[in-house]
Amino acid sequence: MSNDDSIFFNSQLMDTAKNRTTYGLQDPCVDDKGSALTRCRTSQECTDDSGAKGVNMDVVVGGAGDGQRSARGTQMCVAQGQAEGADDEGYVPLPVFTLQDFQQLAVAPAENHAQPAPDTLKNMNTNVYAVAQPQTFETTLGGYPVSVRAYPVQYTWNYGDGSTLGPTPLTGAPLADGEWDVPTDTSHVYTATGDYSLTLTTSFYGEYNIAGTGWQPVNGYNQVTSPPVALTVWRARVHNVADDCLVNPAGLGCPGGRR
């Protein structure tokens, strides 16, 4: 898996990324002895991002004790203290960016929309939809720089009346101007009047890249809840009326009249 092997925009591969690539660091001087070791150590001296003295180590694919571990042809300048933590094989594992680490990032929730709102009608289709965007972050983990990408992949609506939809990959979509009571993949019909709170939870898939070693999937989805949309469901009645709303604004069916 290389820097270009991202599964970030491939929804099919997101759910099948089971074979995680393990990246680590390898002391390139571990097999040298005597004067050869001294020369190797000198050649690997470097200055890390903080300006402190460090050691260049090979970036390798494979974990501790992995007989198939191999260098990727690149090196990383590692702080002296981190390099000294190498095992007998000269191997230093890179930290794993966990779901808990992912959840600590300020992932912006999806926009939660309803049509019509804040008022809708009983026994009519109320359309709901989500608007969410991929997001990127730069952070640190165990002293290493980490790039993170979050991508919205699943949505769950709670309509507030005991009914839910999801998790589903469907985002829904806004209706065209002038349209209403149109059934959609995400719409809902309220069967009782009252006040409801429409909530949306978005599941974000994550990838992380430690110090440019390669993109790896985060184990689990980060579920982020959007601010709720308050809805008031009214009932509609049809009447023949004689009132002129300009003359009697409080008349039946007028904006200032009885509902």
Side-chain angles (χ1 to χ4, degrees), residues 4 6 15 22 34 56 58 77 106 128 131 141 153 170 203 218 233 257:
D4 296 328
S6 172
D15 291 330
T22 300
N56 275 320
D58 293 330
C77 186
V128 302
V131 177
L141 182 65
V153 292
L170 300 172
S203 297
V218 177
V233 178

Side-chain angles (χ1 to χ4, degrees), residues 133-226:
Q133 301 296 331
Q135 300 164 53
T136 59
F137 303 88
E138 299 296 330
T139 185
T140 59
L141 182 65
Y144 298 97
V146 183
S147 299
V148 183
R149 301 191 288 202
Y151 189 75
V153 292
Q154 292 181 335
Y155 306 87
T156 300
W157 277 275
N158 186 322
Y159 297 111
D161 63 349
S163 300
T164 61
L165 173 66
T168 173
L170 300 172
T171 62
L175 299 177
D177 290 344
E179 287 189 331
W180 68 289
D181 190 25
V182 177
T184 68
D185 290 332
T186 55
S187 63
H188 181 62
V189 175
Y190 290 94
T191 59
T193 59
D195 296 324
Y196 298 93
S197 182
L198 172 70
T199 60
L200 168 65
T201 300
T202 304
S203 297
F204 284 85
Y205 164 83
E207 286 184 324
Y208 70 97
N209 187 332
I210 296 183
T213 53
W215 289 101
Q216 301 185 76
V218 177
N219 186 19
Y221 289 155
N222 185 1
Q223 295 184 328
V224 182
T225 300
S226 305

Side-chain angles (χ1 to χ4, degrees), residues 1-258:
M1 189 174 185
S2 70
N3 287 352
D4 296 328
D5 290 334
S6 172
I7 59 176
F8 185 47
F9 290 105
N10 190 323
S11 59
Q12 291 181 338
L13 292 181
M14 286 176 186
D15 291 330
T16 58
K18 305 299 184 183
N19 298 321
R20 296 170 58 85
T21 302
T22 300
Y23 293 100
L25 302 173
Q26 178 71 51
D27 180 1
C29 305
V30 68
D31 294 327
D32 291 328
K33 308 294 182 182
S35 60
L37 177 60
T38 301
R39 289 193 299 271
C40 182
R41 293 288 188 218
T42 301
S43 68
Q44 297 302 321
E45 291 179 355
C46 62
T47 301
D48 65 18
D49 292 338
S50 68
K53 182 179 179 180
V55 178
N56 275 320
M57 300 187 72
D58 293 330
V59 177
V60 295
V61 178
D66 186 349
Q68 303 300 315
R69 190 168 63 224
S70 60
R72 296 184 65 227
T74 56
Q75 289 191 324
M76 183 189 305
C77 186
V78 180
Q80 191 76 35
Q82 291 171 314
E84 291 173 353
D87 62 17
D88 293 340
E89 296 179 340
Y91 178 78
V92 176
L94 287 172
V96 174
F97 192 81
T98 66
L99 177 60
Q100 289 71 30
D101 296 319
F102 190 22
Q103 291 170 336
Q104 291 178 8
L105 298 178
V107 178
E111 296 177 14
N112 186 16
H113 295 275
Q115 294 174 301
D119 299 306
T120 188
L121 293 176
K122 173 184 173 182
N123 296 327
M124 299 292 185
N125 288 281
T126 299
N127 184 48
V128 302
Y129 64 96
V131 177
Q133 301 296 331
Q135 300 164 53
T136 59
F137 303 88
E138 299 296 330
T139 185
T140 59
L141 182 65
Y144 298 97
V146 183
S147 299
V148 183
R149 301 191 288 202
Y151 189 75
V153 292
Q154 292 181 335
Y155 306 87
T156 300
W157 277 275
N158 186 322
Y159 297 111
D161 63 349
S163 300
T164 61
L165 173 66
T168 173
L170 300 172
T171 62
L175 299 177
D177 290 344
E179 287 189 331
W180 68 289
D181 190 25
V182 177
T184 68
D185 290 332
T186 55
S187 63
H188 181 62
V189 175
Y190 290 94
T191 59
T193 59
D195 296 324
Y196 298 93
S197 182
L198 172 70
T199 60
L200 168 65
T201 300
T202 304
S203 297
F204 284 85
Y205 164 83
E207 286 184 324
Y208 70 97
N209 187 332
I210 296 183
T213 53
W215 289 101
Q216 301 185 76
V218 177
N219 186 19
Y221 289 155
N222 185 1
Q223 295 184 328
V224 182
T225 300
S226 305
V229 173
L231 289 174
T232 299
V233 178
W234 301 88
R235 65 178 181 271
R237 291 180 177 177
V238 177
H239 295 274
N240 292 321
V241 298
D243 280 327
D244 184 330
C245 292
L246 295 177
V247 176
N248 181 17
L252 183 64
C254 297
R258 289 174 290 140

